[in-house]
Amino acid sequence: MYSFFGSSKKENTETPPNTAGTTNSTLSTKSSKSKKGSDSTQMEDSPKQTTTKILTEPAPGTKTGPIHEYDENQKEMMKQVKEYALSISLPSSDPYAKWERRWLDKPDTIPRYSRASKWHLNDAKKRIKNTLEWRREFKPELIVPDEVKIEDESGKIVINGFDKDGRPIIYMRPGRQNTETSPRQLRHLVWCLERAKDLMPPGQESLVIIVDYKTTTLRTNPPISVASKVLTILQHHYVETLGRAIVTNLPLLLNFFYKGISPFLDPVTRDKMRFNPDLLELVPSSQLEAEFGGEYEYEFNHEHYWQQIIETCGIAPDGTRVSEVIPELDNEEAGEPNEEAGEPISDQGGETEEEKEEGAKEEEEEEESNTSTPATAVDSLTPVTPAAEDVAKRVEEMSISMSTEAQMITA
C-alpha cells in the first residue's frame, strides 16, 4: 500500500517560500488588515484563516480504543515470549542494548507480537526475533532528524490529528514526492511511524494512515523494490500497529491496481483498508483537515511542522531523547549468562540447547495438530501470507499491464 513513494524526481533543496509558523493565507490576511483595514467588504471575501499548528492530542473526551484484555493462558504466553526475547537480547556492552531493552519493555510490544501470532508461541518467538534483528540494523529510535529532514520538505507525509478512537493520523500524499528513490525514503517512513507512536495516548497501540491520491498519476507510482520493502516493514516489524488504512481520491487505474494486489496482502491488513469512506464517521470534524471535509484549516509549512514534531516528541539533534534518560544495563538486566553461577553461555543472543529442543518439540506437536485441526480451532490458525518477493513480482506484472492500458487510453 506504499504508493506514497513517487517515481524518481530531482531533490529540491531550496527552503520553502513560507515563513515558519505562518501560511500564505494568514500572511495575506494580515497584510490586507494593515493596508486595507477600512475595506470590510474585501475582508469578508478573503480566504479563511489557516494555521500551521498541528494537532498533537486527541479531541477532549476521546475514549482510547480498542482496549485489549487477556486471559490467564494468554498472559502466561506473553510472559514466555518476553523471557525468550530477553534471552536473545544484546549484551550490555553493545551501545544499542539499552534502546533494545527500552523497546522490549514498552507495554505494547509483547502483546502486539503475541496477538499477531494468533497466540502461537513459536510464531511469536520467530516474529519478535526477526524484528529484533531488523531493529539492530535499522536502529529506528536513533534516526538523526537532519538525515531525513529533506524528505519532509514537501509535506508528502504529515502527522496531524487523531481519529475517534484516539489513534494518531498520518497523512500520505504521493503527489508531493520530492526526492529520488533511495534508502533514505524508507528511513523517513520509519521515522514518521516512530513519531506517531510517540504521540499515542496511554493505552493506544495503533495508528491511522490516510493516503490521498489527489494529483497522483501512474508515473508517480513507487518502484516495485521500494513498495515490497515497505510492505515487509509494516507487516513484519510494526505488527498490530496499523489500526486503519484509508485511501482517498483513488484514480480508476490505481483502483484496479489495489484490487489486484489485495489477495497478496496480509488478511488482517487487507481488512483494515477502506476506499473513499466518509471520513467524518471515523475522525472528529475538529481533528480532520479541511480538504477532507473537516473543520481544521491546516496549511503545511515545512519548518514549522518539523519544529513542532521535534519538540513535541522530545527528539535531540543526534536522534536520542531530550528529557528521557535511558539507563545503562548491567549483565543481569541484559539477560546475559552468569559464568560464576554455571549458567550456559550461548552465542550472542542465541538459544540454549534446551530451548532448541523444546522449540523443535513444540513445532512437531503443532504440525501434528494442524493435520487434523477441529473446526473450532480453525480461526486460531495464523493466516499464510505470500512472501514480499512474491507480492512484488505480482505487482510488477500488474504495473506493466496497467502502463500499457494507460498508453492505449491516452493514445
Side-chain angles (χ1 to χ4, degrees), residues 22 48 61 85 97 102 107 118 132 147 171 273 287 301 386 407:
T22 61
K48 292 183 179 179
R102 174 181 180 269
K118 299 294 187 292
L132 284 172
E147 176 191 345
Y171 291 93
M273 297 184 71
Q287 295 274 321
N301 175 281
Q407 292 174 1

Side-chain angles (χ1 to χ4, degrees), residues 224 228 232 386-394:
I224 301 304
S228 63
T232 297
E389 293 78 7
D390 296 333
V391 177
K393 183 177 179 181
R394 174 58 175 159

Side-chain angles (χ1 to χ4, degrees), residues 66-265:
I67 301 297
H68 301 282
E69 298 181 352
Y70 307 104
D71 60 32
E72 292 303 316
N73 290 335
Q74 292 171 334
K75 291 178 181 178
E76 176 59 29
M77 179 184 143
M78 288 190 288
K79 179 182 177 182
Q80 293 181 48
V81 174
K82 179 66 175 289
E83 290 174 350
Y84 170 75
L86 291 176
S87 74
I88 62 171
S89 60
L90 291 170
S92 59
S93 58
D94 191 297
Y96 188 65
K98 61 182 181 180
W99 294 98
E100 181 171 275
R101 182 60 176 269
R102 174 181 180 269
W103 179 73
L104 286 173
D105 287 343
K106 284 183 174 292
D108 69 310
T109 299
I110 301 301
R112 285 190 295 107
Y113 280 79
S114 299
R115 296 198 307 269
S117 70
K118 299 294 187 292
W119 302 100
H120 286 180
L121 180 59
N122 279 339
D123 188 33
K125 288 181 177 180
K126 291 176 182 177
R127 285 172 178 268
I128 204 162
K129 181 176 183 291
N130 289 337
T131 295
L132 284 172
E133 293 172 349
W134 174 79
R135 294 181 77 89
R136 290 167 188 171
E137 178 181 354
F138 214 92
K139 295 180 175 58
E141 304 96 335
L142 303 179
I143 295 175
V144 177
D146 282 349
E147 176 191 345
V148 296
K149 185 176 181 180
I150 188 174
E151 298 290 343
D152 179 79
E153 288 185 351
S154 65
K156 61 189 175 190
I157 303 181
V158 172
I159 307 168
N160 188 19
F162 297 76
D163 76 350
K164 291 184 177 180
D165 291 318
R167 300 184 182 102
I169 300 173
I170 300 179
Y171 291 93
M172 297 179 171
R173 297 172 171 90
R176 295 186 181 182
Q177 182 55 253
N178 65 316
T179 60
E180 295 182 356
T181 301
S182 72
R184 189 181 60 205
Q185 290 182 333
L186 284 175
R187 291 183 66 77
H188 177 235
L189 166 68
V190 170
W191 193 87
C192 292
L193 290 173
E194 291 291 323
R195 300 293 74 77
K197 288 181 69 65
D198 287 341
L199 296 177
M200 289 179 181
Q204 185 54 263
E205 299 180 2
S206 58
L207 50 81
V208 173
I209 293 178
I210 298 179
V211 185
D212 179 23
Y213 276 96
K214 187 185 299 181
T215 73
T216 305
T217 65
L218 280 176
R219 292 184 178 181
T220 59
N221 259 353
I224 301 304
S225 59
V226 175
S228 63
K229 289 177 182 177
V230 172
L231 191 63
T232 297
I233 289 175
L234 289 175
Q235 293 188 163
H236 295 278
H237 305 311
Y238 285 87
V239 299
E240 296 286 309
T241 298
L242 181 64
R244 184 174 287 118
I246 298 169
V247 182
T248 65
N249 298 311
L250 188 66
L252 181 60
L253 286 178
L254 286 178
N255 188 33
F256 293 147
F257 173 85
Y258 268 102
K259 288 182 178 179
I261 67 170
S262 63
F264 296 87
L265 295 173

Side-chain angles (χ1 to χ4, degrees), residues 195-410:
R195 300 293 74 77
K197 288 181 69 65
D198 287 341
L199 296 177
M200 289 179 181
Q204 185 54 263
E205 299 180 2
S206 58
L207 50 81
V208 173
I209 293 178
I210 298 179
V211 185
D212 179 23
Y213 276 96
K214 187 185 299 181
T215 73
T216 305
T217 65
L218 280 176
R219 292 184 178 181
T220 59
N221 259 353
I224 301 304
S225 59
V226 175
S228 63
K229 289 177 182 177
V230 172
L231 191 63
T232 297
I233 289 175
L234 289 175
Q235 293 188 163
H236 295 278
H237 305 311
Y238 285 87
V239 299
E240 296 286 309
T241 298
L242 181 64
R244 184 174 287 118
I246 298 169
V247 182
T248 65
N249 298 311
L250 188 66
L252 181 60
L253 286 178
L254 286 178
N255 188 33
F256 293 147
F257 173 85
Y258 268 102
K259 288 182 178 179
I261 67 170
S262 63
F264 296 87
L265 295 173
D266 183 297
V268 177
T269 301
R270 185 173 64 244
D271 291 344
K272 293 175 181 178
M273 297 184 71
R274 298 290 182 272
F275 295 89
N276 297 316
D278 181 356
L279 289 174
L280 290 176
E281 293 181 357
L282 308 172
V283 183
S285 180
S286 62
Q287 295 274 321
L288 183 64
E289 292 187 11
E291 67 175 290
F292 296 95
E295 299 175 354
Y296 201 67
E297 297 284 348
Y298 176 74
E299 184 168 335
F300 176 77
N301 175 281
H302 167 57
E303 290 296 340
H304 196 208
Y305 170 79
W306 193 253
Q307 180 182 359
Q308 290 177 84
I309 287 293
I310 294 292
E311 292 181 355
T312 304
C313 297
I315 308 301
D318 63 354
T320 59
R321 304 301 177 269
V322 173
S323 58
E324 182 180 359
V325 178
I326 312 298
E328 299 292 341
L329 302 178
D330 56 30
N331 290 350
E332 184 177 352
E333 289 178 319
E336 295 179 7
N338 187 335
E339 296 183 61
E340 295 181 0
E343 295 181 7
I345 301 177
S346 58
D347 293 335
Q348 181 177 329
E351 296 177 289
T352 63
E353 290 301 323
E354 292 182 359
E355 289 173 332
K356 290 179 180 178
E357 292 178 2
E358 182 181 348
K361 182 178 180 181
E362 289 178 354
E363 288 180 359
E364 290 178 2
E365 292 176 352
E366 192 170 309
E367 289 178 1
E368 292 177 0
S369 63
N370 287 346
T371 57
S372 57
T373 306
T376 55
V378 171
D379 292 339
S380 68
L381 295 178
T382 304
V384 178
T385 305
E389 293 78 7
D390 296 333
V391 177
K393 183 177 179 181
R394 174 58 175 159
V395 171
E396 186 169 17
E397 292 173 351
M398 294 188 62
S399 297
I400 294 173
S401 175
M402 287 194 301
S403 297
T404 302
E405 293 177 9
Q407 292 174 1
M408 293 174 64
I409 293 174
T410 57

